[in-house]
Amino acid sequence: MRVLAINPGSTSTKIAVYENYTCLWKYGIDHPTSEIQTFSHVSDQYEYRIEHILKLLKEKGIPLESFDGIVGRGGMLNPLVGGTYLVDQYLVDSLKNATRGEHASNLGGIIAFHLGQRINVPVYIVDPVSVDEMEPVARLSGFPELARLSQSHALNMKAVARKAACMLGKAYHEVNLIVAHLGGGISVSPHRKGKMVDVNNANNEGPYSVERCGTLPCSQLVKLCYSGKYSEKEMNTKILKEGGLFAYLGTKDAREAEKRMHEGDSYAKLVLDGLCYQVAKEIGAMATVLAGEVDQIVLTGGLAYSEFITREIIRRVSFISSVTVIPGEEEMEALALGALRVLNGEEQALTYK
């Protein structure tokens, strides 16, 4: 079985070719901001990106007709359970209409669908950001008008959860795990027997990251919002793109922050310690969701490459369970393997409704 995996970002499109469970080839196509800005809506970019993908496949001598299936990253859909979904016209229309918000990931299913139609092969998305397996009690915020929402790095988190379960000699649905994705945003989720039963929405709550604020003091935030100092757009920018490490140190590069720390900058060390402290605290909170029955804690994402960050988190949480570090993002592999599980008959494809 040969599968084409497509993962669109805001200014890039990553593609990979998998034959069975082996990655034959992967590549990132960069899109100049000047070109991306000519499109009014994210979904309008799909033909432009398809053109670049076909050009690259031609240059590499890989016929589109050689694929048995195509898989794209899932986008901002209505809440759904995790798994591999068959992409049909209804799902594509939902992504194009962007009723849950515009995001580059919405293009994954759209691009894959139109390429799949050309060669008449099945098309899938896997574990989109809107995966919602939260228990009813986890949705309560204490403020009825504001329910807690499930939005996370589900694709990578479920992929590394399966790997961690495999390392334990068990299936994903047989274990209890806590997975912490440490990236531009930080998601921490308890996985009970194959379900993400709770998760902090990295846009709204949880630990601060390299650019996001995470949980903020409510009363002070309300006062700041009504101070007249910032507009709504400016506040959203401060919270989602100019918070965390960047707000304190003026950099979104954790390596730069660590360099400053090693050069004797005590403030940089304090801020990095704060990030590790908050991640560990969130892991501890999620352990209570599983009533302490945790088979493994998993650290993943780009920040998991940092020996300092992982060491400091492990120091605080190892009393709960053993910790496995699976750094980076397994998104391309997760997409391909999700499609292959269906193509090989190991799983049934789900239908989006």
Side-chain angles (χ1 to χ4, degrees), residues 286-346:
M286 293 306 185
T288 68
V289 175
L290 299 174
E293 296 177 7
V294 183
D295 295 302
Q296 192 115 82
I297 296 166
V298 187
L299 305 181
T300 186
L303 293 181
Y305 282 111
S306 165
E307 187 182 333
F308 171 79
I309 290 173
T310 54
R311 184 180 70 240
E312 287 304 300
I313 294 170
I314 291 169
R315 182 175 67 83
R316 292 181 179 275
V317 303
S318 57
F319 75 95
I320 299 169
S321 181
S322 58
V323 183
T324 296
V325 180
I326 305 177
E329 295 188 357
E330 306 282 333
E331 290 182 342
M332 301 308 289
E333 182 180 73
L335 289 172
L337 298 191
L340 284 164
R341 285 193 297 272
V342 171
L343 289 169
N344 290 331
E346 298 167 35

Side-chain angles (χ1 to χ4, degrees), residues 130-180:
S130 54
V131 165
D132 186 348
E133 298 168 339
M134 283 171 66
E135 297 174 331
V137 69
R139 301 182 192 281
L140 302 176
S141 69
F143 196 87
E145 293 94 325
L146 302 176
R148 292 183 68 241
L149 302 175
S150 176
Q151 208 171 71
S152 68
H153 303 86
L155 180 62
N156 187 53
M157 294 173 85
K158 279 187 169 278
V160 298
R162 287 188 179 94
K163 279 194 172 184
C166 188
M167 290 175 190
L168 293 170
K170 296 183 178 180
Y172 177 40
H173 64 268
E174 295 176 325
V175 295
N176 288 346
L177 306 167
I178 298 173
V179 182

